[in-house]
Amino acid sequence: MVAQAKKREVKETKLRRRLLQRQMKQEDFLTQATKFWNEDVLTNWETMKNSRKVRELWWQGLPPSIRGKIWKLAIGNDLNITPELYEICVQRAQERLQVASEPSAECPVEGASTDGPTNREDSVELIRLDVSRTFPHLCIFQKGGPYHNLLQNMLGAYACYRPDVGYVQGMSFLAAMLLLNMDVAEAFICFANLLNRPCHRAFFRVDDLTMKAYFATYEELFEENLPKLFRHFRKLNVSPDIYLIDWLYTSFSKSLPLDVACRVWDVFCRDGDEFFFRIALGLLRLYEEKLLNSEMDFIHTAQFLTKLPEDIMPEPLFKSTEYIKMSVEKRRYPQLLAQHIDAMKDYKEA
């Protein structure tokens, strides 16, 4: 009995030593990576951002201390939004909150969009209900928390900046991810530009035909990469809208553990919509064996995909995603998407 206890103690000591060595190795890698990003990449962004070394390092995850800086540069500011415009939008949003009992109205701001419907429910008021539901386990976005007002103001400002879009459930998670990594004005600028990307714009504005084109593109890539699982999903009638919409509206920030979601955002900010669909297929590949299990009927499959395991680790997920090809018969993702969008336009005209 004493010998068994000693044997167990030796085994536990070796395990602790291995874990410590792994931690030290990770910390050393993080230190070296941070130095490289700060000294070599950020100072020479335009020439270094597309280099092979940078792209390989980017895939391994950005150091948390410089994550916000890289996201900001990768997303860009094609809309030319300024911090001053953000402050004006915040003021308008606060005014709308004060008169929330009045009928819904636009928040006219110089430089903001005024296209689209104006009779939506007052989305600025709806934000109040949703902010406290954002990352509840962090306890910082809830009422009284240090980020509650920042998140509420930022979402209200966007609803005033884009009254044609307003506030849509899921936006709070996107905004919160940015707030966790940069100051509020920078976060707002990135948020507005991110939602102006074609895929997010189509889904948040519920552009039905364009959404169908994205789904069709995804399904074509799904069948190419995971034909057995694709046929299984077809048999069960598990369509992409059952799980993809929730993943897209929050860009995986709600569906994945926060550290894994940050890794996904690292590459998503760089590669855009294409990576969103690639990581989605990477997730399906990672759990393909489980999803093909005979016990996984429609209900169990839908439940699994809408509530992913909490123990997902970034390394297996990204390893799985590396095997996903974003082409079908030499037609790459942009070509596939363009073909499906054209097909939807022809359908609409017919």
Side-chain angles (χ1 to χ4, degrees):
M1 197 170 181
V2 173
Q4 288 180 338
K6 285 184 176 180
K7 189 175 180 180
R8 186 168 57 251
E9 184 180 349
V10 170
K11 188 176 180 180
E12 290 174 352
T13 301
K14 287 182 178 179
L15 177 62
R16 284 196 299 269
R17 188 180 297 119
R18 284 199 301 270
L19 290 173
L20 181 61
Q21 289 173 344
R22 185 183 302 172
Q23 183 180 350
M24 290 175 66
K25 187 176 180 180
Q26 289 174 339
E27 289 176 356
D28 183 57
F29 171 79
L30 189 62
T31 300
Q32 294 299 319
T34 302
K35 183 180 179 182
F36 175 73
W37 281 102
N38 276 318
E39 296 181 3
D40 295 5
V41 183
L42 287 172
T43 55
N44 302 282
W45 176 251
E46 290 301 325
T47 56
M48 290 289 290
K49 65 180 181 180
N50 291 319
S51 68
R52 183 175 179 178
K53 182 178 180 180
V54 168
R55 291 185 69 84
E56 288 177 353
L57 195 61
W58 205 324
W59 183 265
Q60 296 174 48
L62 299 171
S65 62
I66 54 95
R67 178 165 272 143
K69 295 177 183 177
I70 303 299
W71 285 7
K72 179 184 173 184
L73 288 167
I75 294 171
N77 185 14
D78 290 341
L79 297 173
N80 295 316
I81 300 173
T82 63
E84 290 75 22
L85 178 59
Y86 167 67
E87 293 298 333
I88 294 170
C89 291
V90 168
Q91 185 178 351
R92 296 290 189 274
Q94 290 172 343
E95 290 171 1
R96 288 299 301 139
L97 284 169
Q98 291 173 5
V99 293
S101 58
E102 297 179 3
S104 178
E106 292 185 20
C107 306
V109 178
E110 184 180 354
S113 171
T114 56
D115 297 330
T118 60
N119 59 346
R120 289 174 179 259
E121 189 175 358
D122 191 349
S123 55
V124 175
E125 169 62 16
L126 293 176
I127 291 165
R128 281 178 165 173
L129 303 174
D130 221 22
V131 167
S132 294
R133 303 169 186 166
T134 306
F135 292 127
H137 61 287
L138 296 181
C139 300
I140 59 175
F141 295 107
Q142 288 59 51
K143 196 162 187 177
Y147 282 75
H148 176 270
N149 290 341
L150 289 176
L151 181 57
Q152 181 170 279
N153 286 342
M154 182 174 157
L155 294 170
Y158 182 77
C160 285
Y161 174 70
R162 289 299 301 266
D164 56 318
V165 179
Y167 175 75
V168 179
Q169 195 168 27
M171 284 184 179
S172 63
F173 281 89
L174 298 178
M177 282 289 283
L178 293 166
L179 276 175
L180 289 171
N181 290 280
M182 58 189 78
D183 68 45
V184 65
E186 290 179 332
F188 176 78
I189 292 169
C190 288
F191 182 66
N193 279 277
L194 195 62
L195 295 189
N196 197 51
R197 288 181 172 182
C199 186
H200 278 80
R201 187 169 65 239
F203 277 81
F204 279 110
R205 295 191 68 174
V206 196
D207 181 344
D208 189 53
L209 289 179
T210 307
M211 289 169 66
K212 286 179 179 178
Y214 276 104
F215 283 139
T217 304
Y218 169 78
E219 287 215 281
E220 202 169 348
L221 290 164
F222 186 0
E223 185 176 18
E224 176 71 15
N225 284 278
L226 304 166
K228 191 174 180 180
L229 186 61
F230 176 82
R231 291 192 297 270
H232 181 66
F233 274 24
R234 278 290 178 90
K235 185 178 178 181
L236 295 178
N237 290 318
V238 177
S239 55
D241 58 293
I242 291 173
Y243 56 96
L244 264 189
I245 289 180
D246 185 57
W247 291 356
L248 186 138
Y249 275 156
T250 63
S251 294
F252 290 103
S253 56
K254 182 182 177 183
S255 309
L256 295 174
L258 187 56
D259 62 323
V260 184
C262 284
R263 283 282 305 274
V264 169
W265 272 58
D266 288 344
V267 185
F268 169 64
C269 288
R270 183 191 73 184
D271 293 352
D273 308 336
E274 180 174 344
F275 183 71
F276 168 78
F277 294 106
R278 190 180 180 194
I279 200 76
L281 291 172
L283 267 167
L284 296 187
R285 186 183 182 278
L286 182 65
Y287 292 105
E288 183 175 19
E289 185 177 345
K290 179 178 180 62
L291 291 166
L292 286 171
N293 190 297
S294 59
E295 295 179 1
M296 295 293 284
D297 58 11
F298 174 85
I299 297 296
H300 287 95
T301 301
Q303 288 176 340
F304 180 85
L305 294 173
T306 52
K307 187 172 175 53
L308 294 168
E310 297 179 357
D311 60 351
I312 295 177
M313 298 297 289
E315 285 75 19
L317 174 58
F318 274 74
K319 187 67 177 176
S320 175
T321 304
E322 286 179 0
Y323 290 96
I324 301 299
K325 300 183 299 179
M326 296 303 286
S327 61
V328 178
E329 296 177 350
K330 297 184 179 180
R331 292 174 297 145
R332 293 201 55 78
Y333 171 81
Q335 294 172 293
L336 294 170
L337 179 60
Q339 288 173 358
H340 286 294
I341 288 176
D342 288 342
M344 290 299 166
K345 286 179 181 177
D346 293 341
Y347 171 80
K348 183 178 181 181
E349 290 173 0

